[in-house]
Amino acid sequence: MKINRSQHIFSFFVLLFIVACSTKKNTFVSRNYHALTTKYNVLYNGGVAFDKGIADINTKSKNNFWKRLPVEKMEMSDGSILDTAKNANFDLAETKATKGIQKHSMNIGGKEYNYQTDEAYLMLGKARYYGQRFVPALDAFNYILYKYPNSSKIHEAKIWREKTNMRLGNEALAIKNLSKLLKDFKLNKQLVANANAVLAEAFLNLEEKDSAVVKLQVAEKATKINTEKARYRFILGQLYEELGKRELALSSYQSVIDMNRKADREYRIQAYARKAQLFDFQNGDKAQITKMFAQLVENRENRPFLDLIYHQMGVFYDKSNDIELALKNYNLSLKKVKDNTYLAASNYRNIGNMYFKSTNFPLAAKYYDSTLVKLDKKTREFAQIEKVRKNLDDVIKYDALAVTNDSILKVVSLSETDRIIYFGKYIDELKKKEEKQALLVKKQQEAIKNFEHSGNSDLPGTTLLNTKTAVRTLPKLDSGSSTSSTFYFYNPTTVAFGQLEFKKNWGKRNPNGFWRMKTSSANSTTDTPLSDATPLQVTTKTIDKPDDKYSVDYYLNQIPSDKKVLDSINQIRNFAFYQLGIIYKEKFKEYALATAKLEKILEQNPEEKLVLPTMYNLYKIYQITDATKATAMKNRIVSQYPGSRYAQIISNTDTNSSNPETPEKIYNQFYKLFQEQQFVEVLEKLNTAIIQFSGDEILPKMELLRANTQAKLFGLEAYKKALEEVAEQYSNSEEGKQAQEILNNQIPILEKMEFSLAAKSWKILFKVGLKTDSLTQETQAKIKKFIEDEKISNHSYSYDVYTDKENFIVIHNIKSEAYANDIINYMTVNKQYTINQPAIVISSDNYKIVQIKKNLDRYLASKKQ
């Protein structure tokens, strides 16, 4: 057979390819073939994917500048199924590296002849590292160190191994190995930078900030990558701040700014913000900072960062006490915020703080609500703001109560003429306000019509105002505003004066044709002319006319005049002032606000029970704010209330060292008696102690214990009433909140409980008196003897308190009503067990209801029926 030349050539190349593809023959062709294929095919494609993955990290990973930045920019995975930190590019790089190792490794006789395999392992380890699979990554780096000790990548592999050790929590090992590497070998500058950066992060993980600063300084000087240099400088500034080195921190931030376009604009803007935060408000040049902010806002390239710039301007003006500019810039920042939720939360929080300081608590509460929506619920900051927000609920409630009742009492104190003038002004203002609303509605309606005529059917953002605003409460007193010049018959003040003069001359007359006739049957019930001193009575008539709110009489008729009602309003106002004073003092440390509220109480004819606690709390505040006033208040308490516990406390005659009976110890004694069912004794002692410890922190606990004791003696209705008092008087305390929770959740359930015919277990009751009474002891002895002599299994007896006068000896665990009656008959027949008291048979469930509601008489009556 004749073979042509082309077939020879083809066979030669096939043979050459087969020989070259072999990974088991150490030939020049095989080595170079596999090395070149690994480098220009596998590693090249893997390197492209790896670079894309790094670019994705730099793009997608957001720096949280509110905290200290990590040295390496990489978001750690939370391990969840929905975790988005994983990157497909690193998976591809790992696949390519694995392919290079599996197909092109020339491990012959325990020696690797493909000089690109070590780089494949290095890429494999890096891909696994960024994929956050640190244990497999460590295996890859260790394999290089074990199999390729002469590799050109050996030092880089060591650095990556220690980075991985650090991620696995082995910071001490990483520090030891990297320190040895830097000491034993002379590395190029970039490797020195990388090694020191890893060391810095390891030291930061161990909270050794000084050591971290030293290593980060070396890394910053050695690195040739501007992004890394800017990051390291910024972190150094943060560390100097934490270490209290303000000047060094400012220098570091300025070095970031001086990099200009070499640094990412994000770092530069944040550096400006940090400089503003470190500004010296006592000695610094405020004009310079203002100019800096103005230049940043004017620079078009800074538009993506205007939210942060405006926020920092708000902080600057806030600290400068320029409230108006601070509020303006916080709101501008909120308008510019896009996806920075913490920045938005910071704006809301700071605005809330501003309104809080100005005592506008309702508005502060709204901004705190917005803050909490933006914050992570797991953070400490969330818990702190949530606590303040909850406290504000009480402030808002009592502030509204105080303002309303104070306003009513101020109106009551006015003369009739002043009342007319006051309400006349209010009505004029009301009319002006509603005229403006009506005009606005009219303009909006015209705009809608014009818009519809133009061919469009929708007008986005248009909201019609509701002008049907009903005024049903007394308006707040306001010394400002003046009456409008309206026509006589429409001027409410003039009309009211005319009505008043008519009543003075003619009395109250019905509008009929014979109003002048005193003896007319149509005459009013009162014919005597009214004087200026005649109080206006509260009327209960309903005014149905739509224009009644423009009548002065509409408001005059709502003013209370009954002394009991006015005293009640005054008591409620004083109680609200007291609660506000305690909240400001204890929870917010706002001593000026607390002082103003508490001092006001003493001027407003308070109840006796409020006087001493108010004076004592003022004394405690004066000890902090004014020593002279503290001494005066101390003398006042001691002289007016010498026997009170407060006088003993402030005179140091009742300290814990001289008197072991502390409030806590006394409360524990009472609680022990409560557990022993000594309810009558507990109630007597509590009534005395509550007076003795008036105003003490232990008081809410004692009040709640008294409520529970009253429940045991007097039943559900008494319990409910006592809880309502605790919830009202101590609403800020845990006990007050607990009482309110019981009222909301448990009391309604207990009230619905009714007697039932169905039963699984029964009891026999014998009425007795106190436990020490001879009749009680005799009854108890006979029941005990009956159970022991008859050897009735599973039966027991107890002494149960029912009221403060009546109690029960109870036989338990009886299976049926018939069996209970048999026991009663047997005890009656046998004189040794006979008890001269009628026995009561009752189911266990019904007995619970009897004890809760104290309604045994009702049960017996229903049983007879």
Side-chain angles (χ1 to χ4, degrees):
M1 178 182 286
K2 186 177 181 179
I3 301 175
N4 58 32
R5 179 183 177 86
S6 61
Q7 288 176 323
H8 277 294
I9 295 172
F10 176 76
S11 299
F12 172 77
F13 279 108
V14 169
L15 181 62
L16 180 64
F17 177 76
I18 293 172
V19 172
C21 284
S22 175
T23 58
K24 299 300 181 182
K25 293 185 178 182
N26 181 19
T27 63
F28 174 81
V29 174
S30 293
R31 289 196 303 271
N32 285 281
Y33 170 78
H34 287 290
L36 291 174
T37 304
T38 303
K39 180 177 181 179
Y40 292 111
N41 185 1
V42 180
L43 293 183
Y44 172 78
N45 291 323
V48 170
F50 183 81
D51 291 340
K52 286 182 179 179
I54 296 294
D56 285 343
I57 287 179
N58 292 328
T59 302
K60 296 179 182 178
S61 296
K62 297 179 180 179
N63 290 313
N64 185 2
F65 288 96
W66 302 102
K67 298 180 180 179
R68 186 180 68 223
L69 295 180
V71 176
E72 184 180 23
K73 185 179 182 180
M74 186 172 81
E75 291 184 2
M76 295 302 294
S77 169
D78 60 4
S80 65
I81 297 175
L82 299 176
D83 180 33
T84 57
K86 295 180 181 180
N87 194 311
N89 290 305
F90 294 124
D91 291 338
L92 179 59
E94 181 179 354
T95 301
K96 291 295 183 181
T98 303
K99 180 181 178 181
I101 294 167
Q102 290 176 343
K103 291 191 174 184
H104 300 287
S105 174
M106 296 182 64
N107 193 333
I108 303 172
K111 184 177 180 181
E112 180 63 55
Y113 289 95
N114 182 351
Y115 53 85
Q116 292 292 328
T117 304
D118 57 342
E119 294 201 21
Y121 273 107
L122 185 62
M123 179 181 288
L124 178 64
K126 288 180 181 181
R128 289 174 174 177
Y129 175 89
Y130 283 114
Q132 301 185 26
R133 295 164 53 236
F134 299 118
V135 173
L138 191 63
D139 288 339
F141 298 132
N142 280 328
Y143 191 83
I144 297 172
L145 302 180
Y146 174 67
K147 286 289 186 178
Y148 307 99
N150 298 320
S151 170
S152 61
K153 300 292 183 180
I154 192 69
H155 298 315
E156 186 178 355
K158 287 181 178 180
I159 294 171
W160 277 96
R161 182 185 66 174
E162 303 317 323
K163 283 179 71 172
T164 310
N165 275 325
M166 181 194 65
R167 293 294 183 186
L168 291 170
N170 299 323
E171 284 87 0
L173 179 62
I175 292 170
K176 176 184 175 182
N177 291 338
L178 284 175
S179 299
K180 187 175 186 303
L181 175 66
L182 290 169
K183 181 180 178 181
D184 294 345
F185 297 95
K186 186 175 182 180
L187 309 178
N188 65 54
K189 284 189 175 183
Q190 192 56 49
L191 288 180
V192 169
N194 295 344
N196 280 280
V198 177
L199 281 170
E201 188 143 23
F203 279 123
L204 288 177
N205 291 344
L206 297 173
E207 291 298 321
E208 297 180 22
K209 295 178 183 178
D210 289 323
S211 299
V213 166
V214 173
K215 297 302 178 183
L216 204 56
Q217 286 173 336
V218 175
E220 184 272 325
K221 290 179 181 178
T223 186
K224 297 178 181 179
I225 303 171
N226 287 326
T227 303
E228 290 183 357
K229 191 178 288 290
R231 188 179 186 85
Y232 297 162
R233 287 180 178 181
F234 191 89
I235 297 171
L236 280 169
Q238 290 179 309
L239 288 172
Y240 288 136
E241 275 193 76
E242 293 177 15
L243 294 170
K245 300 178 180 180
R246 177 178 172 277
E247 295 301 325
L248 288 174
L250 285 170
S251 178
S252 290
Y253 293 135
Q254 187 60 48
S255 66
V256 176
I257 295 170
D258 293 340
M259 289 182 70
N260 295 321
R261 294 185 181 276
K262 291 181 181 179
D264 291 346
R265 187 165 293 273
E266 181 182 32
Y267 290 107
R268 293 182 61 212
I269 297 298
Q270 291 289 348
Y272 278 117
R274 290 285 182 169
K275 279 190 66 178
Q277 289 178 10
L278 293 172
F279 179 73
D280 185 357
F281 284 89
Q282 293 182 345
N283 306 313
D285 185 0
K286 293 184 179 180
Q288 183 181 359
I289 295 293
T290 305
K291 182 180 178 181
M292 179 190 78
F293 279 131
Q295 291 174 346
L296 289 173
V297 171
E298 289 173 3
N299 191 336
R300 294 173 62 87
E301 295 183 23
N302 294 335
R303 285 185 177 180
F305 306 99
L306 283 176
D307 52 356
L308 176 65
I309 296 170
Y310 283 130
H311 172 77
Q312 289 302 329
M313 290 173 69
V315 172
F316 174 78
Y317 289 120
D318 197 352
K319 291 181 178 179
S320 302
N321 294 321
D322 193 334
I323 305 303
E324 186 176 348
L325 281 176
L327 188 60
K328 176 184 176 182
N329 282 285
Y330 285 140
N331 285 321
L332 285 172
S333 178
L334 285 170
K335 289 179 180 179
K336 297 293 182 181
V337 169
K338 294 180 181 178
D339 55 355
N340 194 333
T341 55
Y342 189 79
L343 179 60
S346 298
N347 285 315
Y348 286 126
R349 179 199 60 219
N350 292 354
I351 296 174
N353 290 341
M354 289 169 61
Y355 283 119
F356 181 88
K357 290 176 183 177
S358 64
T359 69
N360 190 339
F361 298 114
L363 207 50
K366 291 179 181 179
Y367 278 99
Y368 286 144
D369 286 337
S370 299
T371 305
L372 293 173
V373 170
K374 297 290 184 180
L375 285 177
D376 183 359
K377 293 183 179 180
K378 298 178 182 179
T379 60
R380 183 179 298 177
E381 184 178 10
F382 180 92
Q384 291 172 343
I385 295 177
E386 186 180 40
K387 183 179 180 181
V388 174
R389 177 63 186 86
K390 286 180 179 179
N391 291 336
L392 280 179
D393 283 337
D394 296 326
V395 173
I396 294 167
K397 179 178 75 173
Y398 289 117
D399 188 62
L401 195 62
V403 168
T404 301
N405 286 13
D406 198 46
S407 179
I408 293 171
L409 291 173
K410 285 181 179 179
V411 172
V412 169
S413 67
L414 297 175
S415 66
E416 253 188 301
T417 302
D418 290 336
R419 291 177 186 176
I420 292 169
I421 294 172
Y422 168 66
F423 287 120
K425 290 180 180 180
Y426 174 76
I427 292 169
D428 284 338
E429 291 176 1
L430 183 63
K431 286 181 177 179
K432 289 178 181 178
K433 182 179 179 181
E434 294 192 352
E435 284 173 4
K436 288 181 180 179
Q437 290 179 329
L439 183 61
L440 180 59
V441 170
K442 184 178 179 182
K443 288 182 178 179
Q444 288 181 334
Q445 289 174 342
E446 289 176 354
I448 292 172
K449 288 180 180 178
N450 294 335
F451 194 78
E452 289 175 348
H453 286 316
S454 66
N456 295 299
S457 59
D458 296 324
L459 184 60
T462 303
T463 305
L464 294 180
L465 297 178
N466 182 6
T467 58
K468 297 179 181 179
T469 305
V471 180
R472 296 298 178 192
T473 57
L474 293 174
K476 285 182 65 177
L477 284 175
D478 188 359
S479 58
S481 75
S482 59
T483 57
S484 60
S485 57
T486 57
F487 184 61
Y488 169 80
F489 292 111
Y490 300 101
N491 188 312
T493 306
T494 310
V495 172
F497 271 122
Q499 291 173 345
L500 183 62
E501 287 300 315
F502 180 88
K503 286 180 180 179
K504 285 180 180 179
N505 294 326
W506 299 99
K508 188 176 181 181
R509 302 298 177 95
N510 286 332
N512 56 48
F514 304 99
W515 61 268
R516 291 185 181 220
M517 302 291 292
K518 287 187 177 182
T519 57
S520 170
S521 60
N523 217 7
S524 70
T525 57
T526 305
D527 294 319
T528 307
L530 296 176
S531 65
D532 287 337
T534 304
L536 294 174
Q537 301 298 319
V538 178
T539 62
T540 58
K541 71 174 182 176
T542 303
I543 303 173
D544 297 323
K545 295 181 181 179
D547 293 331
D548 279 341
K549 64 181 179 180
Y550 300 121
S551 167
V552 173
D553 282 340
Y554 173 77
Y555 300 103
L556 291 176
N557 291 337
Q558 297 183 56
I559 300 175
S561 59
D562 185 82
K563 188 176 184 305
K564 290 183 178 179
V565 175
L566 294 175
D567 288 343
S568 176
I569 292 172
N570 184 53
Q571 290 175 12
I572 294 171
R573 175 185 64 174
N574 288 335
F575 175 73
F577 275 20
Y578 180 78
Q579 292 295 336
L580 289 170
I582 297 302
I583 294 171
Y584 293 149
K585 170 180 172 278
E586 300 292 341
K587 296 186 177 181
F588 297 140
K589 310 301 179 185
E590 293 285 345
Y591 298 118
L593 291 173
T595 301
K597 295 298 181 184
L598 294 175
E599 286 180 342
K600 199 72 176 175
I601 294 172
L602 299 178
E603 300 171 2
Q604 297 174 158
N605 189 28
E607 288 182 285
E608 186 62 29
K609 68 179 183 180
L610 271 185
V611 175
L612 188 54
T614 301
M615 292 169 67
Y616 178 74
N617 280 289
L618 278 171
Y619 165 73
K620 298 299 290 183
I621 295 172
Y622 290 152
Q623 281 185 311
I624 300 170
T625 60
D626 192 328
T628 304
K629 287 186 176 181
T631 303
M633 185 58 71
K634 174 182 175 181
N635 295 333
R636 187 176 170 185
I637 293 172
V638 172
S639 62
Q640 293 182 14
Y641 304 93
S644 68
R645 176 168 175 78
Y646 294 112
Q648 296 173 355
I649 293 171
I650 63 180
S651 301
N652 293 323
T653 60
D654 188 31
T655 60
N656 291 344
S657 59
S658 61
N659 182 12
E661 298 296 313
T662 62
E664 289 76 16
K665 187 173 182 179
I666 291 173
Y667 172 81
N668 291 334
Q669 291 173 359
F670 293 164
Y671 189 73
K672 185 176 180 181
L673 288 173
F674 178 84
Q675 290 178 314
E676 294 171 356
Q677 297 192 45
Q678 303 294 326
F679 301 127
V680 175
E681 183 181 356
V682 171
L683 189 59
E684 291 176 354
K685 291 186 174 182
L686 277 171
N687 290 335
T688 303
I690 284 170
I691 297 172
Q692 180 186 3
F693 294 104
S694 178
D696 198 288
E697 291 181 0
I698 201 71
L699 199 60
K701 294 184 72 173
M702 287 188 172
E703 290 278 18
L704 187 59
L705 181 59
R706 180 165 70 171
N708 285 297
T709 306
Q710 290 175 327
K712 296 293 185 181
L713 292 175
F714 308 118
L716 184 61
E717 289 302 318
Y719 185 42
K720 181 179 179 181
K721 184 177 179 181
L723 285 174
E724 287 172 347
E725 292 178 358
V726 175
E728 181 181 352
Q729 292 184 22
Y730 308 101
S731 58
N732 298 324
S733 67
E734 289 300 321
E735 290 75 18
K737 293 173 182 176
Q738 184 180 346
Q740 190 61 55
E741 185 178 353
I742 295 171
L743 285 167
N744 294 340
N745 300 326
Q746 297 182 25
I747 295 297
I749 296 173
L750 296 176
E751 288 178 331
K752 291 179 181 178
M753 294 178 68
E754 294 293 342
F755 295 124
S756 172
L757 296 176
K760 294 182 179 180
S761 177
W762 295 78
K763 299 178 187 294
I764 301 174
L765 314 182
F766 295 95
K767 285 186 180 181
V768 295
L770 297 177
K771 200 170 187 178
T772 54
D773 291 350
S774 58
L775 179 61
T776 303
Q777 293 178 351
E778 180 185 346
T779 302
Q780 189 169 336
K782 288 184 177 181
I783 292 173
K784 181 179 180 181
K785 180 175 177 57
F786 167 73
I787 292 174
E788 289 177 351
D789 291 351
E790 300 301 326
K791 297 180 180 179
I792 302 174
S793 61
N794 298 325
H795 286 188
S796 61
Y797 70 94
S798 66
Y799 174 86
D800 292 356
V801 175
Y802 181 56
T803 66
D804 57 334
K805 296 178 181 178
E806 288 185 325
N807 303 297
F808 299 131
I809 301 292
V810 186
I811 302 176
H812 303 281
N813 302 324
I814 300 173
K815 294 181 179 179
S816 67
E817 185 177 12
Y819 184 43
N821 289 323
D822 289 342
I823 291 174
I824 293 170
N825 293 333
Y826 182 81
M827 292 179 70
T828 303
V829 171
N830 291 275
K831 294 184 178 180
Q832 57 181 335
Y833 307 134
T834 301
I835 298 172
N836 296 323
Q837 291 286 338
I840 301 169
V841 178
I842 187 171
S843 68
S844 298
D845 292 337
N846 289 337
Y847 180 64
K848 289 179 183 178
I849 296 173
V850 165
Q851 280 288 16
I852 290 170
K853 296 189 176 183
K854 306 301 178 186
N855 57 353
L856 180 62
D857 292 339
R858 183 185 166 200
Y859 171 76
L860 295 174
S862 65
K863 192 174 181 181
K864 286 181 181 179
Q865 292 177 358

